[in-house]
Amino acid sequence: MSISRRKFLGWLGAAGFGTALGNTAHAASNKHFDGYPNSNGVLFDNTRCIGCRKCEEGCNRVNELPEPDRPFSDLSLLDTKRRTTAKSYTIVNRYDEAASGKGPLYRKDQCNHCLEPACASACFVRAFSKTTSGAVIYDASVCVGCRYCMIACPFEIPTYEYDKAFSPRVMKCTMCYPRISKGLLPGCVEACPTEALTFGKREDLLKIGRERIAKFPERYVDHIYGENEMGGTSWLYLSAVPFEDVGMREDLGVTPAPKLTAGALSAVPMVVGLWPVLLTGIYAINQRKGKIERQEKEQAVAAALEKAVSEAETKLSQAMEKAEKEKAAAIETAVSKALEDAAKAAEEEVGDPAAEDADKKSSEEDS
Amino acid sequence: MPDEATTTGKSYLTPFNIVAGIIIIIGLYVTVLRFTQGLGAVTNLSDYNPWGIWIGFDLLVGVALAAGGFVTSAAVYIFGMKKYHAAVRPAILTGFLGYAMVVVALNYDVGRPWRLPYPFIMQQGTTSLLFEVAACVALYLTVLFVEFSPAALEWLGLKKARNIVIKLTLLLTIFGVVLSTLHQSSLGALFLIAPSKLHPLWYSPYIAVFFFVSAIIAGLSMVIFESTLSHHYFADKMDEAHLKEKDDIALGFGKAASFVLAGYFIIKVIGISESNNWHLLGTSYGIWFLVELLGFVALPCFFYAIGVREKNLKIIKWTAVWTVLGIILNRLNVGLIAFNWHLPSSERYFPHWMEIAISVFLVTVGLVVFRFIVSHMPILYAHPDYEDEH
């Protein structure tokens, strides 16, 4: 098999066209996304939270989630660590040891609505989107159910309806997107009796957070969780103790999730573009190597043949020469012998005409 | 040419058939449960552990071990190593069946399998590494099918179609290498987005390269392993060329595997160095990491080299098995064991027996189909009509 130049160029063109078809992955650059302007967020202040679970109840009601096994007024649930589930978009956990002597601290957990969400970046059917309102929403009508969003989420928020056979969905907090679009408060914020939750523009919430820290430096750690974590989140947190002590990871870094995969994605078009060139090149080199080998073999065979022929020819001519010489020598001996014989006969002939006749005859034959 | 009617008249109650039959019956039972009761009824998956062995084993291991197809066809058709020609068809067939098994397994794993084409026909999530994996696996499965088709077409006697496909060999091989490079590496790159969940010794910015290079090792070792098994069970199906080339293949592929393992070992060490994770080697995860790196990378590298040097086929064959186990270990480490390492043991995942049953079921079905094809189609021997072509 061989390839023509036309064919090769055709493949190259096909490869190039394939990569040009659209690629929204941007490699790391000096651009930084600070979130949509005027997008919303919620500020949670754990110095104000009393662990009443009213936010859980409010969330359950406005999102029409299934009735819980135990009522929201049952605070004994706080004795065990819980996480978000397919039936509860938000949960409150209690941390007894967090603040020594100051009584327990609580932490409310729900989707943090990242500015550049890992779930949206990871979804291969774009079921997640970050809206300009700040909410990260999910479209169950296209979801395949691969659950890569759950792998990707650093806050371990998305959950799955494993018990549904035919229409399982990923379940997570939507920041009450339908409600905030209508100008209403999210269910949890509305239900909070102590103003531990504040809904507003993210920029304003950051200012409020900084003011509170500045005003009561002894009450707060000097950090607003979510300002930069994973590139920033719409949900922001103030805490009386290091965030790690209330179950929040401080080792997530500030790199937004899409940047983590940008390098690998940017390698794709390079492989598509260069691999065919490299591989065809290797193929061509090997073809050429084979061709040269064949040619060399043919040449060697031809040379050997030529040599054999010429050798045979020399041998033949030598043999011929030898034969010729032998023949000449034989004639010479024959002639000299005949002459001798003739001389002898002549000696004997004196007075014998018959012998003279014979001699004449023989000399005729010789000539 | 081997006798095609060897099974007629014989009892079907061979030990293999009985075991395979039982596994398939259990598999079908769990299949019904899975598709009527949902994932929760048959798996131990949870909100913390969305991916179990159907991803960790069936997808990650399945794709890596099916790399023999692209490795062998590249060696023979691109790098011009024609003496390994006999290895191409078995490798392509195993690759094709391997990928087919992966795709079937994905139908079990995803919540709504009938929507698997959605990423292509509805909305393209091109920022997702999973999109790349899905696209490449779908395309490569097609490529493998076309690459395999000449055997089926020869069996069916469709000469014209067969000759057309044969003309496409180089194009298909190059396409196959490009696609394999992309998705083998992307399977590793899937985990790039979760640095907070995968243990730092396994998480690396080079994880995509690690997956690609180790897939080559898996491919080379699987070809040796398969050829050993085929020779054991299907020797009567092999023609002279296959029997003659068998040892060459083990020596050649063993040598290549030794070299690639050496390179892989070096880049793994560079990986530790780059992330400056030396201090983690003393932890329990570190020791587990060293077991993988020294016991299942460095050691087989060494034994392959010994086997090739001494021309000892026995060492090479056992090293191939050892290496394949090492690749399985690596994929399970990344996908399951070192993933979610930060969670308390009560939240960690261990597969439900029905998950294991489905994985075993799919591998068994693959074996049965392999046996059928090898028994009927010209895989281990050249079809008499085309014997002189190589």
Side-chain angles (χ1 to χ4, degrees):
Chain A
M1 186 173 49
S2 70
I3 48 159
S4 65
R5 202 167 72 110
R6 179 190 293 267
K7 243 192 221 169
F8 172 74
L9 290 174
W11 298 346
L12 211 61
F17 185 68
T19 47
L21 271 178
N23 179 10
T24 52
H26 300 294
S29 69
N30 56 356
K31 287 196 187 106
H32 176 62
F33 180 66
D34 278 324
Y36 292 113
N38 292 321
S39 67
N40 299 297
V42 176
L43 177 68
F44 172 73
D45 185 337
N46 73 9
T47 65
R48 299 182 177 195
C49 182
I50 55 168
C52 64
R53 299 186 66 213
K54 286 275 190 276
C55 53
E56 289 186 39
E57 191 179 8
C59 173
N60 178 279
R61 193 180 58 246
V62 303
N63 288 298
E64 292 164 4
L65 295 171
E67 191 83 357
D69 300 336
R70 285 151 77 182
F72 288 106
S73 57
D74 182 357
L75 297 184
S76 68
L77 249 71
L78 296 172
D79 292 342
T80 49
K81 292 284 161 292
R82 295 177 299 151
R83 60 155 290 153
T84 54
T85 69
K87 290 172 183 165
S88 48
Y89 289 165
T90 185
I91 49 98
V92 175
N93 277 330
R94 188 179 69 216
Y95 294 87
D96 291 324
E97 309 298 320
S100 48
K102 287 190 206 160
L105 277 173
Y106 302 91
R107 175 249 179 142
K108 180 183 178 296
D109 194 18
Q110 74 299 303
C111 176
N112 284 324
H113 300 274
C114 303
L115 300 183
E116 296 179 68
C119 54
S121 163
C123 183
F124 71 160
V125 65
R126 282 194 283 135
F128 289 94
S129 45
K130 175 79 177 173
T131 64
T132 49
S133 71
V136 176
I137 56 168
Y138 162 75
D139 177 4
S141 73
V142 293
C143 176
V144 181
C146 71
R147 307 185 298 284
Y148 187 33
C149 50
M150 297 164 71
I151 293 283
C153 178
F155 302 108
E156 296 169 329
I157 293 303
T159 65
Y160 201 63
E161 294 182 314
Y162 288 107
D163 293 330
K164 287 198 180 167
F166 302 108
S167 55
R169 294 168 296 173
V170 169
M171 302 294 276
K172 79 163 196 70
C173 157
T174 63
M175 204 194 263
C176 285
Y177 181 63
R179 286 173 62 87
I180 60 172
S181 303
K182 281 188 259 171
L184 297 170
L185 285 174
C188 56
V189 178
E190 195 181 60
C192 181
T194 62
E195 285 183 29
L197 292 167
T198 314
F199 177 82
K201 303 272 172 258
R202 185 173 184 266
E203 287 119 74
D204 298 340
L205 296 176
L206 281 170
K207 273 180 213 150
I208 294 172
R210 288 195 197 104
E211 269 167 30
R212 283 190 200 166
I213 293 171
K215 227 173 179 176
F216 307 104
E218 74 292 344
R219 195 187 286 174
Y220 297 104
V221 292
D222 188 11
H223 181 66
I224 302 175
Y225 193 98
E227 185 175 5
N228 295 311
E229 274 75 10
M230 292 305 293
T233 61
S234 294
W235 219 279
L236 302 165
Y237 299 82
L238 288 176
S239 175
V241 296
F243 289 94
E244 218 171 9
D245 297 345
V246 285
M248 299 170 75
R249 292 187 69 167
E250 292 188 290
D251 60 348
L252 298 178
V254 296
T255 311
K259 287 235 163 70
L260 294 167
T261 54
L265 284 169
S266 68
V268 174
M270 292 299 106
V271 171
V272 174
L274 291 178
W275 246 219
V277 179
L278 183 72
L279 295 170
T280 317
I282 294 172
Y283 171 78
I285 288 169
N286 278 311
Q287 285 295 103
R288 195 175 138 71
K289 218 170 86 187
K291 199 176 156 194
I292 290 172
E293 258 167 32
R294 271 196 305 280
Q295 276 176 351
E296 281 177 350
K297 205 168 150 192
E298 274 163 24
Q299 278 171 3
V301 168
L305 205 67
E306 207 174 302
K307 201 180 161 200
V309 167
S310 71
E311 265 174 15
E313 271 172 3
T314 8
K315 237 181 213 169
L316 192 66
S317 63
Q318 277 171 352
M320 294 272 277
E321 222 168 278
K322 201 178 163 195
E324 210 113 298
K325 268 183 196 162
E326 275 169 7
K327 199 178 162 191
I331 291 170
E332 216 163 285
T333 32
V335 169
S336 61
K337 198 180 168 213
L339 285 174
E340 254 170 53
D341 286 351
K344 248 186 217 166
E347 272 171 33
E348 285 168 14
E349 202 189 301
V350 192
D352 184 359
E356 199 179 340
D357 272 1
D359 190 43
K360 204 178 179 182
K361 214 185 244 175
S362 84
S363 70
E364 263 170 21
E365 271 170 22
D366 272 353
S367 60
Chain B
M1 194 188 153
D3 182 7
E4 281 186 10
T6 42
T7 48
T8 45
K10 275 189 200 164
S11 167
Y12 283 100
L13 289 175
T14 60
F16 176 86
N17 285 357
I18 293 169
V19 174
I22 293 169
I23 291 171
I24 287 171
I25 289 166
I26 296 172
L28 291 175
Y29 165 73
V30 180
T31 302
V32 171
L33 270 187
R34 153 69 188 90
F35 290 106
T36 55
Q37 309 292 308
L39 284 165
V42 297
T43 70
N44 277 345
L45 297 175
S46 66
D47 292 331
Y48 276 123
N49 303 289
W51 285 358
I53 60 164
W54 291 349
I55 298 294
F57 180 77
D58 295 34
L59 175 66
L60 297 186
V61 173
V63 167
L65 298 192
F70 97 88
V71 171
T72 314
S73 53
V76 172
Y77 296 125
I78 293 176
F79 291 85
M81 303 178 185
K82 298 217 171 82
K83 61 177 174 172
Y84 305 134
H85 195 276
V88 173
R89 278 199 179 174
I92 294 278
L93 174 61
T94 353
F96 172 58
L97 293 178
Y99 276 86
M101 188 207 84
V102 166
V103 172
V104 174
L106 287 178
N107 280 277
Y108 283 80
D109 185 76
V110 301
R112 306 195 206 194
W114 52 92
R115 286 184 174 179
L116 274 171
Y118 273 26
F120 311 115
I121 58 172
M122 301 290 281
Q123 300 187 116
Q124 292 77 38
T126 48
T127 57
S128 172
L129 261 315
L130 195 62
F131 181 82
E132 195 190 327
V133 171
C136 291
V137 168
L139 284 172
Y140 188 48
L141 182 65
T142 317
V143 168
L144 279 169
F145 176 72
V146 179
E147 284 187 304
F148 158 72
S149 66
L153 294 170
E154 285 171 15
W155 178 55
L156 296 168
L158 301 169
K159 285 193 181 181
K160 263 192 189 159
R162 181 259 179 208
N163 290 338
I164 291 170
V165 180
I166 291 289
K167 282 198 181 117
L168 294 173
T169 303
L170 179 63
L171 182 62
L172 288 170
T173 306
I174 291 179
F175 201 34
V177 176
V178 171
L179 291 170
S180 294
T181 309
L182 292 177
H183 72 259
Q184 293 285 5
S185 57
S186 303
L187 281 176
L190 282 180
F191 294 92
L192 279 176
I193 206 160
S196 57
K197 294 184 182 175
L198 181 58
H199 191 280
L201 280 170
W202 281 273
Y203 185 91
S204 162
Y206 303 130
I207 193 168
V209 182
F210 293 164
F211 264 57
F212 175 60
V213 175
S214 55
I216 294 174
I217 297 165
L220 292 167
S221 301
M222 277 302 282
V223 170
I224 300 174
F225 178 55
E226 281 158 29
S227 120
T228 312
L229 287 188
S230 295
H231 184 243
H232 191 82
Y233 293 105
F234 302 108
D236 58 322
K237 306 277 179 226
M238 292 183 156
D239 63 9
E240 235 172 78
H242 279 74
L243 291 170
K244 211 171 64 199
E245 286 178 20
K246 191 179 63 73
D247 295 352
D248 269 352
I249 290 166
L251 285 172
F253 279 48
K255 193 177 190 178
S258 178
F259 272 105
V260 184
L261 274 164
Y264 181 60
F265 179 81
I266 290 166
I267 59 172
K268 286 288 272 188
V269 173
I270 291 173
I272 310 173
S273 198
E274 196 270 349
S275 311
N276 201 9
N277 282 331
W278 297 104
H279 62 287
L280 293 174
L281 292 178
T283 63
S284 52
Y285 273 98
I287 289 162
W288 185 234
F289 179 83
L290 286 176
V291 167
E292 185 197 318
L293 186 63
L294 298 178
F296 290 88
V297 178
L299 207 62
C301 172
F302 177 69
F303 275 107
Y304 265 135
I306 296 274
V308 172
R309 198 189 131 98
E310 311 277 319
K311 297 217 185 325
N312 186 330
L313 294 172
K314 211 170 180 183
I315 293 181
I316 294 179
K317 283 170 190 170
W318 282 108
T319 310
V321 176
W322 192 245
T323 312
V324 168
L325 287 176
I327 301 296
I328 296 175
L329 178 67
N330 173 259
R331 297 305 192 261
L332 293 182
N333 275 339
V334 171
L336 301 171
I337 297 169
F339 191 82
N340 273 342
W341 67 289
H342 61 289
L343 291 179
S345 56
S346 58
E347 300 292 354
R348 297 299 305 274
Y349 162 86
F350 192 83
H352 192 281
W353 74 263
M354 290 204 251
E355 291 179 80
I356 300 172
I358 288 297
S359 291
V360 174
F361 163 66
L362 292 174
V363 172
T364 309
V365 171
L367 280 177
V368 170
V369 176
F370 183 85
R371 193 178 64 156
F372 173 83
I373 293 177
V374 166
S375 305
H376 291 83
M377 298 182 195
I379 303 294
L380 300 173
Y381 58 92
H383 193 282
D385 293 355
Y386 311 98
E387 252 169 7
D388 307 327
E389 281 194 10
H390 307 150

